[in-house]
Amino acid sequence: MTLAAFKNRASQNQEAWRYTNLDTLLSPAALDAEPFPHGPHACPFKTCLVFLNGIFEPSMSRFGSVPSCLLMGDRDSGYSLTLGEQTCLVAHPVELVFASDSKAPDEIPLKFSISLGKNARLSLLENHRASAVPVSVETSVTLAPHAKFVHGKIVSGGPHLALYTVHAAEGSFYTNTSLLRRTRPARNEFSVHLDGQGAQVSLNGIMFLNGHDHADTTAHVLHNAPHCTSRQSYKSVLDESARGVFQGRITVAPHAQKTDGYQISRALLLSDKAEMDSKPELEIYADDVSCRHGNSVGDLDPDALFYLRSRGLDEKAARDLLIQGFLADALDSLPVEAWGSSFRHELGLEPL
Amino acid sequence: MLEIKNLHVAIDGKEILKGIDLSLPDGQVHAIMGPNGSGKSTLSYVLAGRDGYTVTQGSVTLKGKDILSLSPDQRAAQGVFLAMQYPVEIPGVTTMSFLKTALNALRKARGQNPLDALQILKLLREKAKALDLSQELLSRAVNVGFSGGEKKRNEVLQMAVLEPSLCLLDETDSGLDIDALRVVANGVNALRAPSRSMLVITHYQRLLDYIKPDVVHVLAYGKIRQSGGPELAKELEKTGYAAFAREDA
């Protein structure tokens, strides 16, 4: 989907975009205000597929022990990753690195189709390096019964728009953990359809923003079958004039009995000018369900700050340690251990 | 070590301390006793540098240097340590990483080389053992889910690790049963040294059976009303604080 298509989508559903105005945020003035330097494309993982300016570059990539037929397609028709029945790539986490350089076009549209066969397993980290030009991602995910897709995402900066549409069949599992940084702006949107009985989804993320960053996480989980479980858990740390948005929506179809849904958004505001907008929505048409949501916005605990400072930590060290503590459970529960260093590095945190 | 002269402190414009004079020599332990609301905790917070307290008059020096102009971390670097009445919970930060960060921050401020993770682990294990604190506690988040006794022992553990020269103990006995009190007191007594002074703030005489003070001061209505030897504490236990009626009453 191109930038124009995203804008068109936004104009047709203003309520869903009320906190993220693409016309303003992506105006030429906003884009030129502080362009990002293009990030590097080095990658620490054994299996690392590099896309430069939206085009897959085999010469920069490493397939490791993963067959190269995993990835098919091209920029214009879109790329596809397909795992056949029983195929398991969990032991070889795949990293997709998206980088751009001075030859980048005005915008980089990316289109992916990811499909996992019955019982297939995939761990995939999308690593979007800082980009000076808008990147838009349109990804559709199809999970066959009992497939498991562990999906991670890091956005290191720049304008970024993404829409993930997931269809999960019986007993399948989808989890995403996204880290959004230096986004001017970002919209990270999920539409997850739990179509088969017992399907599970877990959406998690960290928005770590400062300056005039703007990040919007919008997640819509549709319980279309009984006995499905959904979790949404987001943490935001907002400094200076940053703005975070979390819109979490759970829709439970009339026959989706025994649904178990939960969503929580917690935000830490480090400045008077930072802003967090949270909008939880529950739409429940079944009667035997458990759906809960929670939301908190606060600043650093002054008692805790004094406690740390009285032990010798200067103000910055004390704040950093409390922020690290705030994010600890999100970082400790990453589904792929090897992602920990990538996430911590991106956050500028030392390993604990 | 510590010289407090004519210290007046106000919170939100209300005067709480109304001229404290106290001289704590090197190596001595002084107790401050007093009724609730007398300003005992205010004194400990002001010495440690907490926000919200306005010093309207007077001076406080540590080893001859003014500390009132210093931030809490600068005071810690100068050797001030406050064992708090209500230790704060820090979710997500393990006691281990907290103490590693704190110790290395203090070592840096004192011109010493930082210790590596292994050295710190060894040091913490040794000190925790002496305080009968389980090692498992070191890998848990600071004070989160700790019992009252564990929190107080954790304060003494931090004191043992950070090696301050001035220890302020604010109601360290509150919430402790007699066994925990003994462990905490033993931990504190093990830290008594010629180069270290302690100010023990307590409501009850009980703690002073275990931590023997050189001098006992009675703080009531914002002033030190009487000072004496350990026998003063015993006397107060019998007579209570009624004798120290409001000066302005």
Side-chain angles (χ1 to χ4, degrees), chain B residues 25-148:
Chain B
D26 287 0
Q28 287 204 2
V29 174
H30 287 199
I32 293 196
M33 300 184 70
N36 290 329
S38 58
K40 300 193 300 291
S41 286
T42 298
L43 178 61
S44 69
Y45 282 140
V46 166
L47 295 177
R50 191 183 176 123
D51 279 348
Y53 297 85
T54 313
V55 175
T56 51
Q57 266 188 73
S59 68
V60 177
T61 58
L62 182 75
K63 293 175 251 182
K65 281 200 230 164
D66 164 62
I67 58 166
L68 289 178
S69 58
L70 302 180
S71 64
D73 45 298
Q74 289 168 332
R75 294 183 202 202
Q78 295 295 321
V80 177
F81 181 95
L82 169 61
M84 296 197 193
Q85 183 178 4
Y86 303 108
V88 182
E89 297 184 3
I90 318 274
V93 178
T94 64
T95 303
M96 183 84 78
S97 67
F98 163 50
L99 273 173
K100 176 174 179 249
T101 313
L103 180 58
N104 280 338
L106 287 179
R107 289 182 67 90
K108 191 178 169 195
R110 292 169 187 168
Q112 297 165 311
N113 291 328
L115 297 183
D116 64 31
L118 210 65
Q119 290 168 309
I120 297 219
L121 184 67
K122 200 170 157 236
L123 176 72
L124 288 181
R125 282 189 174 159
E126 189 184 300
K127 304 278 187 193
K129 200 174 166 195
L131 283 162
D132 202 15
L133 267 171
S134 82
Q135 298 202 0
E136 179 254 346
L137 233 51
L138 297 175
S139 49
R140 281 184 17 209
V142 180
N143 293 324
V144 177
F146 286 26
S147 71

Side-chain angles (χ1 to χ4, degrees), chain A residues 303 307-309 311 313-314, chain B residues 50 73 82 98 155 158:
Chain A
D303 290 340
Y307 191 62
L308 296 182
R309 296 194 67 188
R311 300 311 186 236
L313 279 70
D314 63 26
Chain B
R50 191 183 176 123
D73 45 298
L82 169 61
F98 163 50
E155 293 294 285
Q158 293 169 35

Side-chain angles (χ1 to χ4, degrees), chain A residues 222-241:
Chain A
L222 299 99
H223 284 261
N224 298 330
H227 295 280
C228 293
T229 304
S230 66
R231 297 284 178 268
Q232 300 171 36
S233 174
Y234 286 88
K235 288 206 165 173
S236 306
V237 177
L238 309 173
D239 202 354
E240 297 166 350
S241 301

Side-chain angles (χ1 to χ4, degrees), chain A residues 102-343:
Chain A
S102 56
K103 298 188 189 99
D106 290 345
E107 61 167 299
I108 301 175
L110 294 161
K111 197 173 171 192
F112 279 86
S113 160
I114 298 172
S115 170
L116 271 66
K118 212 171 164 183
N119 288 318
R121 303 261 188 284
L122 173 66
S123 297
L124 178 98
L125 178 64
E126 259 180 66
N127 207 330
H128 294 269
R129 309 289 164 141
S131 171
V133 298
V135 174
S136 53
V137 183
E138 184 188 8
T139 297
S140 71
V141 174
T142 309
L143 302 180
H146 304 286
K148 181 176 178 182
F149 181 19
V150 176
H151 184 196
K153 173 172 181 174
I154 296 174
V155 179
S156 305
H160 185 98
L161 300 170
L163 173 63
Y164 298 87
T165 306
V166 180
H167 283 274
E170 177 193 333
S172 63
F173 177 71
Y174 174 72
T175 179
N176 176 280
T177 306
S178 292
L179 170 60
L180 306 179
R181 292 220 59 198
R182 293 183 286 269
T183 49
R184 309 274 177 81
R187 165 94 162 189
N188 204 32
E189 183 173 347
F190 296 87
S191 175
V192 181
H193 304 253
L194 300 173
D195 295 330
Q197 186 159 329
Q200 297 179 46
V201 59
S202 174
L203 303 175
N204 310 283
I206 295 172
M207 296 190 270
F208 195 91
L209 311 174
N210 58 14
H212 286 91
D213 296 350
H214 178 117
D216 172 333
T217 295
T218 293
H220 186 189
V221 176
L222 299 99
H223 284 261
N224 298 330
H227 295 280
C228 293
T229 304
S230 66
R231 297 284 178 268
Q232 300 171 36
S233 174
Y234 286 88
K235 288 206 165 173
S236 306
V237 177
L238 309 173
D239 202 354
E240 297 166 350
S241 301
R243 187 172 184 195
V245 177
F246 172 69
Q247 303 186 106
R249 189 166 166 198
I250 302 175
T251 303
V252 182
H255 61 284
Q257 302 296 0
K258 304 290 179 189
T259 283
D260 177 2
Y262 180 62
Q263 58 162 266
I264 180 139
S265 160
R266 294 182 62 199
L268 201 50
L269 301 186
L270 303 177
S271 115
D272 293 343
K273 288 186 197 152
E275 181 179 327
M276 180 76 201
D277 298 294
S278 269
K279 190 172 69 169
E281 287 178 282
L282 302 178
E283 268 182 296
I284 303 173
Y285 302 103
D287 50 18
D288 186 9
V289 302
S290 160
C291 277
R292 294 157 295 148
H293 65 83
N295 177 37
S296 73
V297 179
D299 51 12
L300 292 173
D301 175 8
D303 290 340
L305 270 177
F306 171 65
Y307 191 62
L308 296 182
R309 296 194 67 188
S310 76
R311 300 311 186 236
L313 279 70
D314 63 26
E315 188 170 6
K316 184 178 182 309
R319 285 167 66 98
D320 285 353
L321 196 62
L322 290 179
I323 294 166
Q324 199 163 348
F326 176 74
L327 296 176
D329 54 353
L331 292 171
D332 292 345
S333 60
L334 285 175
V336 178
E337 211 184 326
W339 293 355
S341 59
S342 302
F343 274 71

